[in-house]
Amino acid sequence: MTDHIRTELTEGVLTVTLARPEKKNAITQAMYAALAEATQWARTDDAVRVLLFRGEGDSFSAGNDIADFIALGSQGGGVTDAPVFHFLKSLADLDKPAVAAVRGRAVGIGLTLLLHCDMVVVAEDALLSAPFINLALAPEAASSMLLPQAIGHQRAFEIFALGEPIDGATALAWGLANRAVAAAEVDAVAADLAAKLATRAPNSIRKTKRLMRDAERLWALMRREGEAFGSQMTSPEAMEAFMAFSQKRAPDFSKAG
Ligand code: COA
């Protein structure tokens, strides 16, 4: 149980709020477990027509909690048993529409989650990044396929390898978002889109989404990515990256090899 994920079902829209603003909505294991539960609820309950992800405070999400990375990394192996994988599986299986409302930072899974949303509203000044290589990790959530598919190999590689953010206007231009609006309007625009989707024929929309993506393939790739991610997580270069973050300094990979 965690208070850091809130859910509210209103007129067919299940709104899931990342609610840990003091840590920029960085996602802990307990939060992944709650996100998995909410996503499965969305899929299995006829009362839910649309899933809407949003963040409380000034950021969508700073990605995986880095203290959790340190804890999981020192436990060694077995990351595919972790709650994050239950959440990823639930995203691969989700055949109802998902919408995201993105203000501020969307880092790591804060960005890769958007690749599983069918409609994305970003703030023009939002900052989206996937700095897996800065953390000596590897892409997750099937982003090694979905990101290059959406924006092309070179742009996706730069996002992974240099870890620098793109803004909301760029995300819109590159096809990662449906709308880029002023930050103050993001929640309302996303809620309007979700409400509109909730009025559409539910079986038709589910069949359409199922035809547009291959859930089995996504899950197989997520597992493969998990192997690369898991072996990196226990590596000395990743430990250096996590320590550097907690000590608020740049990582030093000069001795890695
Ligand atoms: N895990 C754990 N804590 C995090 C976090 C994360 N992913 N992201 C931010 N926080 C914490 C910070 O440590 C800080 O905590 P403190 O107030 O106790 O020191 C608090 O959230 C606020 O973050 P801060 O870094 O001060 O905010 P900022 O506006 O200067 O920068 C970010 C925001 C998102 C750019 C920056 O926090 C960041 O780079 N976070 C790491 C992102 C990341 O690499 N995620 C993993 C991706 S795989």
Side-chain angles (χ1 to χ4, degrees), residues 22-24 26 62 64-66 105 107-108 132 135 245 248:
E22 69 286 1
K23 297 286 184 189
K24 309 275 171 194
N64 201 106
D65 187 281
I66 290 179
R105 294 279 182 170
V107 188
F132 297 117
L135 287 169
F245 177 78
K248 298 189 188 292

Side-chain angles (χ1 to χ4, degrees), residues 148-186:
Q149 218 168 55
I151 66 175
H153 175 89
Q154 283 77 7
R155 287 165 170 169
F157 189 84
E158 181 169 346
I159 285 178
F160 289 141
L162 298 188
E164 289 160 5
I166 58 165
D167 64 16
T170 306
L172 177 70
W174 288 3
L176 286 173
N178 298 75
R179 312 268 190 282
V181 300
E185 291 168 20
V186 166

Side-chain angles (χ1 to χ4, degrees), residues 116-174:
H116 297 274
C117 292
D118 307 290
M119 298 198 81
V120 175
V121 179
V122 291
E124 284 150 355
D125 61 357
L127 290 173
L128 284 63
S129 58
F132 297 117
I133 294 176
N134 289 356
L135 287 169
L137 294 171
E140 33 76 319
S143 63
S144 60
M145 178 182 76
L146 295 176
L147 192 62
Q149 218 168 55
I151 66 175
H153 175 89
Q154 283 77 7
R155 287 165 170 169
F157 189 84
E158 181 169 346
I159 285 178
F160 289 141
L162 298 188
E164 289 160 5
I166 58 165
D167 64 16
T170 306
L172 177 70
W174 288 3

Side-chain angles (χ1 to χ4, degrees), residues 134 240-253:
N134 289 356
E240 162 57 13
F242 303 156
M243 287 305 160
F245 177 78
S246 54
Q247 294 162 4
K248 298 189 188 292
R249 62 172 171 83
D252 174 8
F253 298 127

Side-chain angles (χ1 to χ4, degrees), residues 21-45:
E22 69 286 1
K23 297 286 184 189
K24 309 275 171 194
N25 298 326
I27 306 176
T28 60
Q29 295 303 302
M31 290 166 73
Y32 282 122
L35 287 167
E37 206 173 293
T39 309
Q40 283 157 14
W41 170 17
R43 183 170 60 83
T44 52
D45 184 347

